[in-house]
Amino acid sequence: MVSPVNLQRKDPLWNACSEFVGSIFYDVFKKMYNSIPQSDLIHKSSAEKWYTDMLLYEYSKEAAKSDLKPLVDMIYKKLAVNTYR
């Protein structure tokens, strides 16, 4: 038997809600990271900036799937009422 949690994760609406929360928190994480004073002693390459952006994006996706799951579930339930009538 498949548990309701696994059904939610296979649902495209739940995945879209998770991506939405992840994208919001990506902006939060990026603003937090940019608020840290940076030194000009060692110049950052474009590859290092790209890597940092991708790392923050992956952190936000994982946070949305685990730590922010109650927020994702709340958004999912609000949207599912209108979508799955």
Side-chain angles (χ1 to χ4, degrees):
M1 180 172 181
V2 178
S3 70
V5 174
N6 289 338
L7 285 176
Q8 276 187 340
R9 294 187 188 251
K10 290 181 181 179
D11 187 3
L13 180 61
W14 193 90
N15 290 332
C17 292
S18 178
E19 286 287 326
F20 175 70
V21 170
S23 66
I24 290 173
F25 275 87
Y26 167 70
D27 289 337
V28 172
F29 290 158
K30 190 166 180 163
K31 288 179 183 179
M32 287 171 50
Y33 181 79
N34 289 336
S35 70
I36 300 170
Q38 302 292 323
S39 173
D40 291 337
L41 184 61
I42 300 174
H43 182 69
K44 278 191 170 184
S45 68
S46 60
E48 187 176 358
K49 291 177 187 176
W50 177 81
Y51 177 79
T52 303
D53 284 345
M54 290 293 108
L55 184 64
L56 292 175
Y57 183 71
E58 289 299 318
Y59 284 161
S60 66
K61 280 182 14 182
E62 287 301 315
K65 290 180 182 175
S66 59
D67 297 331
L68 300 171
K69 190 175 179 297
L71 178 61
V72 173
D73 288 338
M74 182 180 70
I75 294 170
Y76 173 77
K77 287 175 185 174
K78 292 290 184 182
L79 292 175
V81 168
N82 296 331
T83 304
Y84 297 126
R85 280 190 182 180

